[in-house]
């Protein structure tokens, strides 16, 4: 990937983005600038209300996407391809990859998502950040 980036972007239920490297307002390599992995993670988290950083084919990410879809939210899934990006996403979320962010705030991994859901706080939080209608 050009510009020092190893992040690909996919939306829940879709494959990696072919062709142009822009989808849903996410800028993978803004103006050809080379970003540090931590800066890139921070920017991507700010650009979408629900973001999951995961490795390609991650079964826990699949479960996270299915749970979010079941309550009416569709996460932006960022597949990390480089160790530095995975480390930055993990550090920002204080959890291993897959790492979930809702409204820019780290939720953690699958256990954090399940905790929010079981406590009844997931849907209100998703509404608060504009990830759900109604």
């Amino acid at each position: 990937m050009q510009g020092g980036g190893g992040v690909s972007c996919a939306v829940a239920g879709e494959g990696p983005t072919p062709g142009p490297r822009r989808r849903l307002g996410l800028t993978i390599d803004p103006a050809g600038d080379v970003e540090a992995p931590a800066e890139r993670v921070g920017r991507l988290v700010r650009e979408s209300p629900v973001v999951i950083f995961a490795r390609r084919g991650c079964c826990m990410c699949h479960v996270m996407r299915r749970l979010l879809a079941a309550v009416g939210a569709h996460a932006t899934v960022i597949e990390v391809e480089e160790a530095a990006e995975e480390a930055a996403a993990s550090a920002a979320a204080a959890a291993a990859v897959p790492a979930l962010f809702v409204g820019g705030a780290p939720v953690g991994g699958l256990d954090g998502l399940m905790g929010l859901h079981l406590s009844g706080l997931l849907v209100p939080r998703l509404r608060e950040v504009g990830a759900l209608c109604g």
Side-chain angles (χ1 to χ4, degrees):
M1 188 172 257
Q2 269 183 339
V7 175
S8 62
C9 176
V11 177
E14 297 180 13
T17 306
R21 296 185 306 178
R22 237 183 125 102
R23 181 187 292 270
L24 296 178
L26 293 175
T27 52
I28 302 303
D29 289 319
D33 293 339
V34 176
E35 292 178 293
E39 291 172 5
R40 181 178 305 230
V41 167
R43 180 180 48 77
L44 292 170
V45 164
R46 288 188 303 273
E47 290 179 349
S48 184
V50 182
V51 179
I52 300 172
F53 289 91
R55 286 182 226 100
R56 181 180 299 259
C58 173
C59 61
M60 289 185 291
C61 175
H62 176 75
V63 171
M64 293 169 81
R65 288 179 14 211
R66 294 290 303 253
L67 174 57
L68 289 164
V71 298
H74 296 283
T76 299
V77 178
I78 308 294
E79 292 179 347
V80 292
E81 298 172 349
E82 296 177 5
E85 290 166 340
E86 183 174 338
S90 294
V97 170
L100 172 67
F101 293 82
V102 176
V107 171
L110 180 57
D111 57 340
L113 175 60
M114 291 301 296
L116 269 180
H117 180 60
L118 294 173
S119 68
L121 299 174
L122 178 61
V123 170
R125 179 73 178 127
L126 292 169
R127 269 200 193 99
E128 179 182 312
V129 301
L132 293 179
C133 297

